[in-house]
mmCIF file of all heavy atoms in Angstrom:
data_model
loop_
_atom_site.group_PDB
_atom_site.id
_atom_site.type_symbol
_atom_site.label_atom_id
_atom_site.label_comp_id
_atom_site.label_asym_id
_atom_site.label_seq_id
_atom_site.Cartn_x
_atom_site.Cartn_y
_atom_site.Cartn_z
ATOM 1 N N LEU A 122 -16.334 -2.453 0.945
ATOM 2 C CA LEU A 122 -16.689 -3.515 0.011
ATOM 3 C C LEU A 122 -15.588 -3.733 -1.022
ATOM 4 O O LEU A 122 -14.865 -2.804 -1.381
ATOM 5 C CB LEU A 122 -18.002 -3.185 -0.697
ATOM 6 C CG LEU A 122 -19.211 -2.898 0.202
ATOM 7 C CD1 LEU A 122 -20.439 -2.600 -0.651
ATOM 8 C CD2 LEU A 122 -19.483 -4.072 1.140
ATOM 9 N N THR A 123 -15.488 -4.961 -1.523
ATOM 10 C CA THR A 123 -14.517 -5.259 -2.576
ATOM 11 C C THR A 123 -15.076 -4.936 -3.958
ATOM 12 O O THR A 123 -14.315 -4.787 -4.913
ATOM 13 C CB THR A 123 -14.111 -6.744 -2.540
ATOM 14 O OG1 THR A 123 -15.285 -7.563 -2.646
ATOM 15 C CG2 THR A 123 -13.384 -7.064 -1.251
ATOM 16 N N LYS A 124 -16.381 -4.833 -4.079
ATOM 17 C CA LYS A 124 -16.989 -4.476 -5.351
ATOM 18 C C LYS A 124 -17.214 -2.969 -5.409
ATOM 19 O O LYS A 124 -17.501 -2.336 -4.410
ATOM 20 C CB LYS A 124 -18.316 -5.210 -5.536
ATOM 21 C CG LYS A 124 -18.184 -6.723 -5.661
ATOM 22 C CD LYS A 124 -19.530 -7.379 -5.904
ATOM 23 C CE LYS A 124 -19.375 -8.892 -6.071
ATOM 24 N NZ LYS A 124 -20.674 -9.551 -6.299
ATOM 25 N N GLY A 125 -17.099 -2.427 -6.616
ATOM 26 C CA GLY A 125 -17.283 -0.995 -6.780
ATOM 27 C C GLY A 125 -15.988 -0.238 -6.567
ATOM 28 O O GLY A 125 -14.992 -0.781 -6.076
ATOM 29 N N ASN A 126 -15.996 1.034 -6.943
ATOM 30 C CA ASN A 126 -14.829 1.902 -6.792
ATOM 31 C C ASN A 126 -15.156 3.010 -5.792
ATOM 32 O O ASN A 126 -15.945 3.906 -6.107
ATOM 33 C CB ASN A 126 -14.441 2.511 -8.141
ATOM 34 C CG ASN A 126 -13.983 1.472 -9.135
ATOM 35 O OD1 ASN A 126 -13.277 0.540 -8.787
ATOM 36 N ND2 ASN A 126 -14.393 1.620 -10.388
ATOM 37 N N PRO A 127 -14.583 2.963 -4.591
ATOM 38 C CA PRO A 127 -14.867 3.994 -3.589
ATOM 39 C C PRO A 127 -14.393 5.372 -4.051
ATOM 40 O O PRO A 127 -13.434 5.491 -4.818
ATOM 41 C CB PRO A 127 -14.093 3.519 -2.363
ATOM 42 C CG PRO A 127 -13.861 2.066 -2.586
ATOM 43 C CD PRO A 127 -13.725 1.896 -4.063
ATOM 44 N N ALA A 128 -15.045 6.399 -3.583
ATOM 45 C CA ALA A 128 -14.687 7.767 -3.948
ATOM 46 C C ALA A 128 -13.283 8.095 -3.470
ATOM 47 O O ALA A 128 -12.891 7.728 -2.357
ATOM 48 C CB ALA A 128 -15.680 8.747 -3.336
ATOM 49 N N PRO A 129 -12.487 8.782 -4.286
ATOM 50 C CA PRO A 129 -11.152 9.203 -3.838
ATOM 51 C C PRO A 129 -11.274 10.152 -2.659
ATOM 52 O O PRO A 129 -12.193 10.978 -2.601
ATOM 53 C CB PRO A 129 -10.577 9.899 -5.076
ATOM 54 C CG PRO A 129 -11.781 10.345 -5.856
ATOM 55 C CD PRO A 129 -12.814 9.297 -5.635
ATOM 56 N N GLY A 130 -10.360 10.030 -1.730
ATOM 57 C CA GLY A 130 -10.363 10.926 -0.574
ATOM 58 C C GLY A 130 -11.396 10.600 0.486
ATOM 59 O O GLY A 130 -11.580 11.386 1.424
ATOM 60 N N ILE A 131 -12.072 9.437 0.376
ATOM 61 C CA ILE A 131 -13.157 9.146 1.316
ATOM 62 C C ILE A 131 -12.669 9.101 2.760
ATOM 63 O O ILE A 131 -13.412 9.412 3.696
ATOM 64 C CB ILE A 131 -13.857 7.819 0.944
ATOM 65 C CG1 ILE A 131 -15.121 7.595 1.778
ATOM 66 C CG2 ILE A 131 -12.899 6.654 1.064
ATOM 67 C CD1 ILE A 131 -16.183 8.653 1.586
ATOM 68 N N PHE A 132 -11.381 8.770 2.968
ATOM 69 C CA PHE A 132 -10.888 8.689 4.346
ATOM 70 C C PHE A 132 -10.662 10.063 4.956
ATOM 71 O O PHE A 132 -10.313 10.163 6.141
ATOM 72 C CB PHE A 132 -9.626 7.846 4.414
ATOM 73 C CG PHE A 132 -9.878 6.394 4.076
ATOM 74 C CD1 PHE A 132 -9.340 5.824 2.942
ATOM 75 C CD2 PHE A 132 -10.687 5.631 4.891
ATOM 76 C CE1 PHE A 132 -9.582 4.505 2.620
ATOM 77 C CE2 PHE A 132 -10.951 4.298 4.583
ATOM 78 C CZ PHE A 132 -10.397 3.735 3.443
ATOM 79 N N ASN A 133 -10.869 11.133 4.179
ATOM 80 C CA ASN A 133 -10.855 12.468 4.768
ATOM 81 C C ASN A 133 -11.966 12.644 5.795
ATOM 82 O O ASN A 133 -11.859 13.488 6.692
ATOM 83 C CB ASN A 133 -11.008 13.537 3.684
ATOM 84 C CG ASN A 133 -9.735 13.764 2.902
ATOM 85 O OD1 ASN A 133 -8.670 13.957 3.476
ATOM 86 N ND2 ASN A 133 -9.831 13.735 1.580
ATOM 87 N N ILE A 134 -13.050 11.872 5.650
ATOM 88 C CA ILE A 134 -14.178 12.048 6.567
ATOM 89 C C ILE A 134 -14.100 11.102 7.763
ATOM 90 O O ILE A 134 -14.835 11.270 8.725
ATOM 91 C CB ILE A 134 -15.537 11.890 5.859
ATOM 92 C CG1 ILE A 134 -15.860 10.411 5.587
ATOM 93 C CG2 ILE A 134 -15.562 12.692 4.563
ATOM 94 C CD1 ILE A 134 -17.277 10.192 5.107
ATOM 95 N N TYR A 135 -13.240 10.097 7.666
ATOM 96 C CA TYR A 135 -13.147 9.090 8.722
ATOM 97 C C TYR A 135 -11.830 9.218 9.489
ATOM 98 O O TYR A 135 -10.899 9.890 9.058
ATOM 99 C CB TYR A 135 -13.243 7.681 8.132
ATOM 100 C CG TYR A 135 -14.593 7.332 7.575
ATOM 101 C CD1 TYR A 135 -14.764 7.108 6.203
ATOM 102 C CD2 TYR A 135 -15.699 7.201 8.410
ATOM 103 C CE1 TYR A 135 -16.008 6.765 5.688
ATOM 104 C CE2 TYR A 135 -16.948 6.862 7.897
ATOM 105 C CZ TYR A 135 -17.096 6.647 6.537
ATOM 106 O OH TYR A 135 -18.324 6.315 6.037
#
Side-chain angles (χ1 to χ4, degrees):
L122 305 180
T123 56
K124 294 183 178 180
N126 295 320
I131 188 62
F132 294 114
N133 283 310
I134 76 170
Y135 291 114

